[in-house]
Amino acid sequence: MKARFQLLIKGAGVCLLSLFLIQNQNYGQSTYGQISGWVLEQKKGAPIPAANVVVSGTVFGAASNDRGYFVISHLDPGTYRVICSAIGFKKQTKVIQVDAGQITEVTFRLQQTVIPMNQFVVTASKYRQDVNEIPVTIDIITTHDLVKRNAVTIDQVLKHVPGVQAVGNNISIRGSSGFTWGVGSRILVLLDGMPFLTGDTGSITLDALPTAQIQQVEVMKGAGSALYGSNAMGGVVNIITRTPSSGKSSLRVRSYTGFYDQPSYPQWRWSSRRRHFEGLTVDCLTNFLNVSSIISFNLKSDMSFKENADFRKWNVAGIFRFSLTPNNYWNVISGYLKSDDGSFIFWRDCNHALRVGNEPEDIFTRTYTTYFYLYPVMTQILSSRFFYRLRLRFTRAHSEDHAHARPGYHPQLLGIYRQSTADTYGGELQFNYQYSPETNIVFGFDGHKNDVSSIQYGYHRLGRFSVYFQNEKELFHGFKLTTGFRWDWEWGSDIATMSQFNPK
């Protein structure tokens, strides 16, 4: 099975290189069309700046300038559905014919409304769609929500989404997972469409993602295994990062601090110290050598009001964007987290509700974690209807559980008693093709390998390779037919090769 996997990877690499060379050889020789026009108010005819004009089902789009003017170039001849939206205005959709070597002019006249602007999502079908046109339930956490709630971590906002329970790095959607500890989850967490789970326990490390680098979080409720695999049986949480701007450089520094009040009941008071928390965030947006970037540094410390629930964490993360050709661009996401956490899982009893109950009387556990991730993403536009996206990923998660003696005790078990290091290598090659304004086809390959070394269980290796296909067609207004499948193969050092077919 390993040899077959390597052969598939080599074949996909040859096809990818061939597509890249053919496209760049033909670039400049093909004749494209162009859409340009104006975005105006319906009544007064005043220009609307910063309106979004998107070619549905493609990666093409533009924003109107101060005069309401926009231009979308490099479109192949054909018929397209173009969507125009702006904050405070009703969305408008037009079907536009583009001819070779011609500029098609169009004017959007938007009607004012108190209803918020329609949002776009990519999680439902792996391509950009209006949230009102998708066949599944999705809630969206926007940048405004993160700022309004003064969120330091993503879970602080996820717990306010209806049907979602978030306790630290544990997420459950509609009760699909419950509370799990070290045994994975039925909720698939993605970072720009790529799995963001550790290779050993399948846990989620939300602390490694600075909120300043998040554009929106899409929470898909319901099974998504036909497109994302068995890890998405309970739902999908897709974290979409911001696109670095090529404008002026900027620096933002934010800090916070606070104190915990004493518990209401005297028997719950386990510490005489004033418990406090604090944090520091530094965000730098810059553009150097045609590479746009967002670099963030975060430092967090919390003494907690519960025994052995305190933590100290710091992380640095960056998003880098650059283009090699007009039809090829890269996004590189990387970060590093280091943390020192207590281990409060459940309370002792009703009279000691804030004392840790999952630890013996003579020791307490500290967990030391380091986490590194690197996610390069390359998008190659072959035509205005056809593009592919190569996503690569590497993560390393290392954790150690240390036993420390409580004051006045001399236990025999001290030092490291649990340790695990997990390396994950993976990649995905996704193709998007818009056959017509009503038909979108998505297909691709996904594979990864986990190497896990643990002092309890030794060395283990697990691999997975997947093929998926989806065809979505709008039969008539308000009615879509979606068909597809996903086929997964899995093998490991201690398990027999198995496969699973998920139709849709």
Side-chain angles (χ1 to χ4, degrees):
M1 187 66 198
K2 181 178 178 182
R4 189 185 304 172
F5 174 70
Q6 292 177 346
L7 182 62
L8 288 170
I9 293 296
K10 291 179 181 179
V14 171
C15 294
L16 182 64
L17 180 60
S18 301
L19 286 171
F20 180 80
L21 294 176
I22 292 172
Q23 194 277 334
N24 283 284
Q25 181 179 5
N26 294 333
Y27 180 75
Q29 298 178 4
S30 300
T31 304
Y32 297 103
Q34 179 177 296
I35 298 176
S36 64
W38 306 86
V39 183
L40 308 174
E41 291 185 19
Q42 187 181 58
K43 290 185 177 180
K44 300 180 181 179
I48 302 176
N52 292 321
V53 184
V54 178
V55 181
S56 179
T58 73
V59 295
F60 289 90
S64 60
N65 60 17
D66 295 338
R67 298 182 295 117
Y69 184 73
F70 69 91
V71 177
I72 303 176
S73 304
H74 296 99
L75 294 173
D76 287 331
T79 304
Y80 297 91
R81 178 179 297 171
V82 182
I83 304 171
C84 180
S85 59
I87 297 176
F89 294 87
K90 215 182 239 188
K91 176 189 74 172
Q92 189 175 13
T93 302
K94 291 189 175 184
V95 177
I96 299 174
Q97 175 67 36
V98 176
D99 297 320
Q102 300 295 320
I103 299 177
T104 303
E105 294 189 354
V106 59
T107 300
F108 290 96
R109 299 185 182 274
L110 304 186
Q111 180 183 355
Q112 288 188 351
T113 178
V114 294
I115 301 175
M117 178 184 68
N118 292 342
Q119 296 170 306
F120 293 91
V121 296
V122 296
T123 307
S125 301
K126 286 201 171 187
Y127 71 92
R128 185 183 174 101
Q129 291 177 286
D130 191 304
V131 70
N132 294 323
E133 298 178 356
I134 57 177
V136 296
T137 303
I138 286 188
D139 282 313
I140 303 174
I141 300 172
T142 63
T143 304
H144 176 71
D145 296 324
L146 296 172
V147 174
K148 181 176 66 175
R149 298 190 179 277
N150 197 27
V152 179
T153 56
I154 302 172
D155 62 283
Q156 295 176 349
V157 180
L158 279 174
K159 63 184 180 182
H160 296 287
V161 177
V164 177
Q165 295 81 42
V167 181
N169 288 326
N170 289 269
I171 302 174
S172 178
I173 299 178
R174 293 175 175 172
S176 59
S177 292
F179 181 81
T180 59
W181 191 273
V183 293
S185 173
R186 294 188 180 95
I187 306 302
L188 178 61
V189 176
L190 304 174
L191 179 62
D192 283 343
M194 297 172 285
F196 196 68
L197 304 171
T198 60
D200 47 4
T201 61
S203 58
I204 307 163
T205 312
L206 296 177
D207 295 310
L209 299 173
T211 55
Q213 296 186 357
I214 297 174
Q215 180 67 33
Q216 68 183 35
V217 181
E218 302 173 6
V219 182
M220 187 175 77
K221 303 174 182 178
S225 55
L227 195 57
Y228 291 101
S230 58
N231 284 344
M233 291 176 60
V236 179
V237 176
N238 193 6
I239 302 168
I240 310 298
T241 59
R242 293 173 56 187
T243 300
S245 174
S246 58
K248 295 182 179 179
S249 300
S250 63
L251 179 69
R252 188 184 72 165
V253 179
R254 185 179 66 166
S255 64
Y256 65 90
T257 187
F259 295 89
Y260 291 106
D261 197 4
Q262 289 289 350
S264 303
Y265 303 100
Q267 60 268 33
W268 287 6
R269 298 177 184 176
W270 60 275
S271 174
S272 59
R273 297 181 60 186
R274 172 69 72 177
R275 320 300 291 183
H276 57 85
F277 56 90
E278 52 276 327
L280 173 68
T281 300
V282 180
D283 302 312
C284 178
L285 284 74
T286 183
N287 186 13
F288 182 69
L289 297 178
N290 293 325
V291 178
S292 303
S293 63
I294 305 174
I295 302 174
S296 299
F297 172 80
N298 293 270
L299 177 64
K300 294 181 289 185
S301 177
D302 193 331
M303 293 183 67
S304 183
F305 59 91
K306 295 182 289 188
E307 183 186 30
N308 201 35
D310 59 300
F311 63 81
R312 289 174 292 276
K313 304 178 181 182
W314 70 267
N315 74 292
V316 59
I319 303 175
F320 307 90
R321 181 183 176 91
F322 57 92
S323 297
L324 299 181
T325 68
N327 278 8
N328 175 278
Y329 59 89
W330 288 77
N331 263 22
V332 179
I333 308 170
S334 184
Y336 178 81
L337 167 72
K338 188 172 185 179
S339 67
D340 171 10
D341 299 85
S343 179
F344 186 102
I345 300 178
F346 55 85
W347 63 4
R348 181 178 297 179
D349 53 51
C350 291
N351 291 324
H352 303 87
L354 302 181
R355 299 292 296 268
V356 60
N358 53 283
E359 299 279 14
E361 287 287 341
D362 55 347
I363 66 171
F364 64 91
T365 300
R366 304 294 302 180
T367 301
Y368 303 96
T369 303
T370 59
Y371 185 71
F372 172 78
Y373 60 94
L374 176 64
Y375 286 52
V377 181
M378 186 270 287
T379 301
Q380 180 70 42
I381 301 173
L382 302 176
S383 71
S384 55
R385 297 186 182 276
F386 189 31
F387 71 92
Y388 66 86
R389 185 164 285 152
L390 175 66
R391 300 182 176 101
L392 303 175
R393 60 183 181 270
F394 169 74
T395 64
R396 163 164 285 193
H398 178 79
S399 63
E400 298 178 358
D401 287 349
H402 290 237
H404 296 270
R406 291 181 182 270
Y409 290 90
H410 302 282
Q412 295 182 355
L413 178 62
L414 289 176
I416 302 175
Y417 68 93
R418 273 198 300 260
Q419 184 183 47
S420 175
T421 301
D423 292 335
T424 300
Y425 313 85
E428 178 184 6
L429 182 59
Q430 175 187 328
F431 296 87
N432 289 64
Y433 177 61
Q434 187 185 53
Y435 180 77
S436 69
E438 298 80 20
T439 305
N440 287 277
I441 299 173
V442 179
F443 62 96
F445 315 91
D446 186 5
H448 70 263
K449 182 185 72 169
N450 296 328
D451 293 332
V452 182
S453 177
S454 169
I455 62 175
Q456 284 91 10
Y457 309 111
Y459 177 79
H460 297 273
R461 175 174 292 175
L462 180 69
R464 175 179 291 181
F465 182 78
S466 307
V467 178
Y468 60 87
F469 174 87
Q470 178 172 283
N471 179 28
E472 192 169 87
K473 181 177 180 59
E474 183 176 5
L475 301 180
F476 50 86
H477 181 68
F479 188 86
K480 285 186 177 181
L481 176 64
T482 303
T483 57
F485 68 89
R486 181 182 175 100
W487 204 333
D488 294 291
W489 292 270
E490 188 173 282
W491 66 95
S493 53
D494 302 317
I495 61 174
T497 300
M498 61 184 71
S499 64
Q500 181 174 338
F501 182 79
N502 295 309
K504 184 177 183 179

